[in-house]
């Protein structure tokens, strides 16, 4: 196992949204972006005071929800803390590095993502391999096997 290939650094939520737009364009997908800007609007800013817009350091936190059209159903929630929550056909991948989001999406739309089945103990996992031996795996609930996921069972 080698070292993971470095991901291009996406320093801001805006840069990450631009990278997702590039992937969507390459795969001819429609996308919708909803931005939440300010500590009073972002989901993880529970420590911010009422009606507080800035973080204590004076920065303006920016969170975005990107919904990609087509199949599979994919949403990407980009957080100000340099991570993302990616949902593919109802399977949630939490704590994905913001820098890994474009490679993750290219793997999903490029046909590399697959469902691995194990008979004992029984279970199914959606596996999304990235360049450099980095892999994300999350369990698929038995009732959650959509037609797209079923076509990717190995």
């Amino acid at each position: 196992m080698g070292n993971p290939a470095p991901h291009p650094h996406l320093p801001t939520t805006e840069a990450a949204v631009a990278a997702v737009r590039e992937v969507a364009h390459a795969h001819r997908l429609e996308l919708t972006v909803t931005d939440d800007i300010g500590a009073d609007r972002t989901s993880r800013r529970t420590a911010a005071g009422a009606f507080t817009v800035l973080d204590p350091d004076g920065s303006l936190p920016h969170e975005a929800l990107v919904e990609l059209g087509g199949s599979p159903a994919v949403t990407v929630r980009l957080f100000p803390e340099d991570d993302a929550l990616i949902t593919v056909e109802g399977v949630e991948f939490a704590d994905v590095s913001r820098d890994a989001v474009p490679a993750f999406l290219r793997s999903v739309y490029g046909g590399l993502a697959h469902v691995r089945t194990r008979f004992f103990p029984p279970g199914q996992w959606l596996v999304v391999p990235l360049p450099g031996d980095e892999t994300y795996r999350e369990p698929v609930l038995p009732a959650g096997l959509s037609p797209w996921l079923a076509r990717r069972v190995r």
Side-chain angles (χ1 to χ4, degrees):
M1 304 252 179
N3 291 332
H7 300 289
H9 182 59
L10 301 172
T12 64
T13 299
E14 285 182 44
V17 169
V20 172
R21 282 185 195 281
E22 288 177 20
V23 173
H25 180 74
H27 292 277
R28 295 188 169 120
L29 302 168
E30 292 185 21
L31 80 153
T32 304
V33 179
T34 305
D35 294 291
D36 287 317
I37 300 173
D40 62 335
R41 304 263 327 253
T42 58
S43 65
R44 291 189 178 167
R45 298 293 190 213
T46 55
F51 307 109
T52 302
V53 176
L54 301 176
D55 277 345
D57 66 358
S59 66
L60 196 61
H62 179 191
E63 181 177 301
L65 174 64
V66 182
E67 298 174 274
L68 295 148
S71 181
V74 175
T75 60
V76 180
R77 181 170 290 281
L78 297 158
F79 297 107
E81 293 86 3
D82 294 337
D83 68 327
L85 168 67
I86 301 177
T87 305
V88 179
E89 288 291 316
V91 179
E92 289 188 350
F93 291 83
D95 300 322
V96 175
S97 164
R98 181 166 59 197
D99 294 341
V101 170
F104 187 104
L105 294 175
R106 282 192 291 275
S107 181
V108 168
Y109 291 111
L112 297 175
H114 60 277
V115 175
R116 177 148 302 142
T117 300
R118 190 169 64 191
F119 294 103
F120 189 80
Q124 295 177 315
W125 289 263
L126 178 54
V127 179
V128 182
L130 275 55
D133 296 329
E134 187 176 1
T135 302
Y136 288 90
R137 292 178 184 85
E138 288 297 331
V140 177
L141 298 175
L145 200 60
S146 70
W148 185 87
L149 289 169
R151 288 191 302 271
R152 276 141 188 85
V153 171
R154 289 188 183 174

